[in-house]
Short mmCIF file of all heavy atoms in Angstrom, two decimals:
data_model
loop_
_atom_site.label_atom_id
_atom_site.label_comp_id
_atom_site.label_asym_id
_atom_site.label_seq_id
_atom_site.Cartn_x
_atom_site.Cartn_y
_atom_site.Cartn_z
N THR E 1 41.70 86.51 95.13
CA THR E 1 40.84 87.62 94.73
C THR E 1 40.11 87.27 93.45
O THR E 1 40.42 86.28 92.79
CB THR E 1 41.64 88.93 94.50
OG1 THR E 1 42.27 88.87 93.21
CG2 THR E 1 42.70 89.13 95.58
N SER E 2 39.15 88.09 93.09
CA SER E 2 38.36 87.86 91.87
C SER E 2 38.95 88.57 90.66
O SER E 2 38.30 88.67 89.61
CB SER E 2 36.92 88.32 92.08
OG SER E 2 36.89 89.70 92.42
N ALA E 3 40.17 89.09 90.79
CA ALA E 3 40.80 89.79 89.67
C ALA E 3 40.94 88.88 88.46
O ALA E 3 41.24 87.69 88.60
CB ALA E 3 42.18 90.30 90.10
N THR E 4 40.70 89.41 87.29
CA THR E 4 40.80 88.61 86.06
C THR E 4 42.18 88.65 85.43
O THR E 4 42.44 87.95 84.46
CB THR E 4 39.75 89.08 85.04
OG1 THR E 4 39.95 90.48 84.79
CG2 THR E 4 38.34 88.86 85.57
N GLU E 5 43.06 89.50 85.97
CA GLU E 5 44.45 89.59 85.52
C GLU E 5 45.36 89.47 86.73
O GLU E 5 44.95 89.78 87.86
CB GLU E 5 44.70 90.93 84.81
CG GLU E 5 43.87 91.16 83.56
CD GLU E 5 44.29 90.26 82.40
OE1 GLU E 5 45.45 89.80 82.41
OE2 GLU E 5 43.46 90.03 81.50
N PRO E 6 46.61 89.03 86.55
CA PRO E 6 47.53 88.92 87.70
C PRO E 6 47.71 90.26 88.40
O PRO E 6 47.86 91.30 87.76
CB PRO E 6 48.84 88.47 87.05
CG PRO E 6 48.43 87.77 85.79
CD PRO E 6 47.22 88.52 85.30
N ILE E 7 47.68 90.23 89.73
CA ILE E 7 47.90 91.46 90.51
C ILE E 7 49.32 91.50 91.07
O ILE E 7 49.75 92.54 91.58
CB ILE E 7 46.87 91.58 91.65
CG1 ILE E 7 46.96 90.37 92.61
CG2 ILE E 7 45.46 91.73 91.11
CD1 ILE E 7 46.06 90.50 93.83
N LEU E 8 50.03 90.37 90.96
CA LEU E 8 51.44 90.32 91.38
C LEU E 8 52.28 89.74 90.25
O LEU E 8 51.91 88.74 89.65
CB LEU E 8 51.60 89.45 92.63
CG LEU E 8 50.94 89.95 93.93
CD1 LEU E 8 51.10 88.91 95.03
CD2 LEU E 8 51.52 91.29 94.36
N ASP E 9 53.39 90.39 89.96
CA ASP E 9 54.31 89.86 88.95
C ASP E 9 55.74 90.19 89.35
O ASP E 9 55.99 90.79 90.41
CB ASP E 9 53.97 90.41 87.56
CG ASP E 9 53.98 91.93 87.50
OD1 ASP E 9 54.66 92.54 88.36
OD2 ASP E 9 53.31 92.50 86.62
N ARG E 10 56.68 89.79 88.52
CA ARG E 10 58.09 89.99 88.85
C ARG E 10 58.43 91.46 89.05
O ARG E 10 59.15 91.83 89.99
CB ARG E 10 58.96 89.40 87.74
CG ARG E 10 60.44 89.64 87.95
CD ARG E 10 61.32 88.92 86.96
NE ARG E 10 62.73 89.21 87.22
CZ ARG E 10 63.73 88.53 86.72
NH1 ARG E 10 63.50 87.50 85.90
NH2 ARG E 10 64.99 88.85 87.00
N SER E 11 57.91 92.32 88.18
CA SER E 11 58.26 93.74 88.26
C SER E 11 57.82 94.38 89.57
O SER E 11 58.46 95.32 90.05
CB SER E 11 57.63 94.50 87.08
OG SER E 11 56.22 94.47 87.16
N LYS E 12 56.74 93.87 90.18
CA LYS E 12 56.26 94.42 91.45
C LYS E 12 57.00 93.82 92.65
O LYS E 12 57.26 94.52 93.63
CB LYS E 12 54.75 94.17 91.59
CG LYS E 12 53.90 94.99 90.65
CD LYS E 12 52.42 94.64 90.83
CE LYS E 12 51.55 95.46 89.87
NZ LYS E 12 50.13 95.06 89.94
N LEU E 13 57.32 92.53 92.56
CA LEU E 13 57.88 91.85 93.72
C LEU E 13 59.40 91.97 93.83
O LEU E 13 59.95 92.03 94.93
CB LEU E 13 57.49 90.38 93.69
CG LEU E 13 55.99 90.08 93.86
CD1 LEU E 13 55.72 88.60 93.72
CD2 LEU E 13 55.49 90.59 95.21
N GLU E 14 60.08 92.00 92.70
CA GLU E 14 61.55 91.99 92.74
C GLU E 14 62.12 93.15 93.55
O GLU E 14 63.06 92.95 94.36
CB GLU E 14 62.11 92.00 91.31
CG GLU E 14 63.61 91.75 91.26
CD GLU E 14 64.11 91.53 89.84
OE1 GLU E 14 63.39 91.90 88.88
OE2 GLU E 14 65.20 90.96 89.69
N PRO E 15 61.59 94.39 93.42
CA PRO E 15 62.18 95.51 94.18
C PRO E 15 61.86 95.48 95.67
O PRO E 15 62.54 96.14 96.46
CB PRO E 15 61.55 96.75 93.52
CG PRO E 15 60.92 96.27 92.26
CD PRO E 15 60.54 94.86 92.50
N ILE E 16 60.80 94.75 96.08
CA ILE E 16 60.34 94.89 97.48
C ILE E 16 60.63 93.67 98.35
O ILE E 16 60.62 93.79 99.58
CB ILE E 16 58.82 95.19 97.52
CG1 ILE E 16 58.01 94.01 96.98
CG2 ILE E 16 58.48 96.47 96.78
CD1 ILE E 16 56.51 94.13 97.23
N VAL E 17 60.88 92.50 97.75
CA VAL E 17 61.09 91.30 98.56
C VAL E 17 62.58 91.08 98.75
O VAL E 17 63.34 90.91 97.79
CB VAL E 17 60.45 90.06 97.90
CG1 VAL E 17 60.75 88.81 98.74
CG2 VAL E 17 58.95 90.25 97.75
N CYS E 18 63.00 91.06 100.01
CA CYS E 18 64.42 90.92 100.35
C CYS E 18 64.90 89.51 100.00
O CYS E 18 64.24 88.52 100.33
CB CYS E 18 64.59 91.19 101.84
SG CYS E 18 66.29 90.96 102.41
N THR E 19 66.04 89.43 99.34
CA THR E 19 66.57 88.12 98.92
C THR E 19 66.93 87.25 100.11
O THR E 19 66.86 86.03 100.04
CB THR E 19 67.80 88.31 98.02
OG1 THR E 19 68.78 89.10 98.73
CG2 THR E 19 67.43 88.99 96.72
N SER E 20 67.30 87.86 101.22
CA SER E 20 67.68 87.08 102.40
C SER E 20 66.46 86.53 103.13
O SER E 20 66.51 85.47 103.75
CB SER E 20 68.51 87.93 103.36
OG SER E 20 67.76 89.06 103.78
N ARG E 21 65.34 87.25 103.05
CA ARG E 21 64.14 86.81 103.76
C ARG E 21 63.37 85.78 102.95
O ARG E 21 62.93 84.77 103.45
CB ARG E 21 63.24 88.02 104.07
CG ARG E 21 61.94 87.62 104.75
CD ARG E 21 61.13 88.81 105.20
NE ARG E 21 59.96 88.41 105.96
CZ ARG E 21 59.57 89.00 107.08
NH1 ARG E 21 60.27 90.00 107.58
NH2 ARG E 21 58.48 88.59 107.70
N GLY E 22 63.21 86.06 101.65
CA GLY E 22 62.47 85.16 100.80
C GLY E 22 60.96 85.28 101.02
O GLY E 22 60.50 85.99 101.93
N LEU E 23 60.20 84.59 100.20
CA LEU E 23 58.73 84.67 100.26
C LEU E 23 58.12 83.43 99.61
O LEU E 23 58.64 82.93 98.61
CB LEU E 23 58.25 85.93 99.54
CG LEU E 23 56.73 86.14 99.46
CD1 LEU E 23 56.16 86.45 100.84
CD2 LEU E 23 56.40 87.26 98.48
N MET E 24 57.02 82.95 100.19
CA MET E 24 56.25 81.88 99.57
C MET E 24 54.87 82.40 99.21
O MET E 24 54.17 83.00 100.05
CB MET E 24 56.15 80.67 100.49
CG MET E 24 57.38 79.79 100.43
SD MET E 24 57.14 78.18 101.17
CE MET E 24 57.17 78.65 102.88
N LEU E 25 54.50 82.20 97.94
CA LEU E 25 53.20 82.64 97.42
C LEU E 25 52.34 81.42 97.11
O LEU E 25 52.79 80.50 96.42
CB LEU E 25 53.38 83.46 96.14
CG LEU E 25 54.01 84.85 96.26
CD1 LEU E 25 54.34 85.38 94.87
CD2 LEU E 25 53.05 85.79 96.96
N PHE E 26 51.10 81.43 97.59
CA PHE E 26 50.16 80.36 97.30
C PHE E 26 48.94 80.98 96.62
O PHE E 26 48.13 81.66 97.26
CB PHE E 26 49.76 79.63 98.58
CG PHE E 26 50.91 78.93 99.25
CD1 PHE E 26 51.72 79.61 100.16
CD2 PHE E 26 51.22 77.61 98.95
CE1 PHE E 26 52.79 78.98 100.76
CE2 PHE E 26 52.29 76.98 99.55
CZ PHE E 26 53.08 77.65 100.45
#
């Protein structure tokens, strides 16, 4: 995206991403 600030950070992802499933961010 063209956002000038991060749109994803630990505080947003930690509660929603399941530890068993995991996630890859590029």
Side-chain angles (χ1 to χ4, degrees):
T1 80
S2 58
T4 57
E5 298 290 337
I7 59 175
L8 294 175
D9 56 24
R10 176 173 179 165
S11 65
K12 290 178 181 175
L13 294 176
E14 190 170 19
I16 65 170
V17 177
C18 177
T19 56
S20 60
R21 178 173 185 136
L23 178 69
M24 278 194 285
L25 290 169
F26 296 88

